[in-house]
Amino acid sequence: MTNTRLTADHVDLSDTFASRRYFAKFESIMQHMLRVAGVMQAEGQLDRAEVAILARYAAKLTHSFRALSWKYLLAGRETGRFFGSLTMDNHDSGFPVAAELMTMANDAQQAQSHLATMPGVDDHKDQMVQTILSDRAIPTKLQFSLSQRLYYEELAAGDLFWVRNDPQAEWIRDSAERRTYRIYWATYDSQVNLPVIYMMEVEDSGREALPRDTRRWPEVQSHLSAQALGGLKLLTIARGFDEDFPDLHPKRLRRFHLGPMYSHAYTRQNGPMRDVLAEAKAPEGQDWALAWTEEELLSDRVTEQRAGWFSTVEREVFALDPMTGEMPDMGVTRASRSIILPQRPYQVLREKNPPGFASVRKFVVSPAGRVLRY
């Protein structure tokens, strides 16, 4: 039953121009996300280092979508070789399904061997010109071969967003007895087909600096990668980390769920945004909205617990949302929702004023590409 439901939520973009517009839309949205991060920095909601991390992952997503756009450039065209079309989640996320990134990761392992046996870009172009002039035919097969060449070149260039993007650490500051690091990592949640970014500020009371510690750092990376599940509460992740690493003290944990992406032309999500986009009748390129959710968990205080006969360890006590008694326990200190959308859909959203959107932060893209917060 579950497999049937998942299949029903996925569609193949087998039309050439629909596929190209889809990728162009995402590349544009990622650029707007960078501008949103700049607005949030100006408002003090993010610092410069956090903006740099989000920009890094936005760039990786852009590179991954660009690679997929080359792979499926001729989707729907007769190329003499069946290679399929992009599968996207048109119900929950609006993003490509996680299986696309898994296949791309496998292709990346073999990119150099493919490139070694394929004609270069200039050779492809020369052959296409000869086909057009001599045979008076559209060089579709050569176009397909070139698109695959460009796909493998993009994979070989690296810096892509994968299903699992391992934790990295950067130093923040030193105190008299401790170093403080920001650890960040990301995943592509295969349950909902959405990118998820994590940031955690950790105080290190160990002797060796964490990123250089050949014992602790690989264990930290493995632990955090295994816990990077969208269904886990931040409180569960932070407590597990606190208990498993006695000399690492998580002070702040944040999680950014990027998406879903709404588009009247591509997605079929339920809810107010579907009606807003349908009524807006926005032109191509402005028919979209991207939502994201930020969760944050903060340490409130520290207690000491006995560890063996003669020693104690610190344990973090995390501050939870005071509204938990009236709402479902999310295991966070606070959570906020945001949405970015072009002007015309925003105008309809403001006129309709659907329930639940009053507390949503709204970032509006002007026709000139400027992002304003409302």
Side-chain angles (χ1 to χ4, degrees), residues 25 261-269 273-279 281-282 287-289:
K25 187 188 301 288
M261 188 276 287
Y262 301 86
S263 171
H264 187 59
Y266 292 95
T267 64
R268 297 293 178 267
Q269 297 105 327
M273 281 310 306
R274 179 179 181 176
D275 299 333
V276 166
L277 291 173
E279 188 171 321
K281 296 183 174 63
D287 168 41
W288 60 270

Side-chain angles (χ1 to χ4, degrees), residues 91-237:
H91 188 271
D92 291 322
S93 77
F95 279 68
V97 298
E100 292 285 359
L101 275 71
M102 296 176 187
T103 301
M104 191 166 64
N106 182 65
D107 290 343
Q109 298 297 317
Q110 307 173 70
Q112 292 295 349
S113 62
H114 282 284
L115 290 171
T117 60
M118 301 175 78
V121 173
D122 290 338
D123 289 338
H124 273 99
K125 292 180 178 178
D126 288 342
Q127 292 180 46
M128 283 192 279
V129 170
Q130 292 177 21
T131 300
I132 294 171
L133 296 178
S134 302
D135 302 338
R136 299 182 182 275
I138 298 175
T140 307
K141 293 182 180 180
L142 286 168
Q143 290 174 331
F144 171 72
S145 179
L146 176 57
S147 72
Q148 300 312 291
R149 168 86 198 190
L150 294 171
Y151 168 60
Y152 286 115
E153 284 186 356
E154 194 73 43
L155 296 185
D159 197 33
L160 300 158
F161 196 99
W162 304 115
V163 171
R164 192 183 85 178
N165 303 271
D166 289 340
Q168 306 291 318
E170 59 182 27
W171 172 85
I172 299 178
R173 59 184 171 272
D174 285 344
S175 62
E177 300 178 349
R178 297 184 175 183
R179 308 174 187 88
T180 301
Y181 296 97
R182 179 182 290 108
I183 304 174
Y184 56 93
W185 66 104
T187 65
Y188 201 87
D189 191 332
S190 60
Q191 296 298 310
V192 291
N193 299 305
L194 288 176
V196 184
I197 299 169
Y198 295 81
M199 299 183 196
M200 181 165 64
E201 292 180 17
V202 175
E203 290 185 358
D204 179 11
S205 58
R207 294 182 179 180
E208 182 73 23
L210 178 61
R212 296 198 302 267
D213 193 320
T214 57
R215 179 184 60 84
R216 291 187 303 158
W217 180 233
E219 292 178 357
V220 166
Q221 289 180 302
S222 177
H223 177 97
L224 292 176
S225 293
Q227 296 297 305
L229 303 172
L232 282 182
K233 296 177 181 179
L234 290 191
L235 181 62
T236 302
I237 297 172

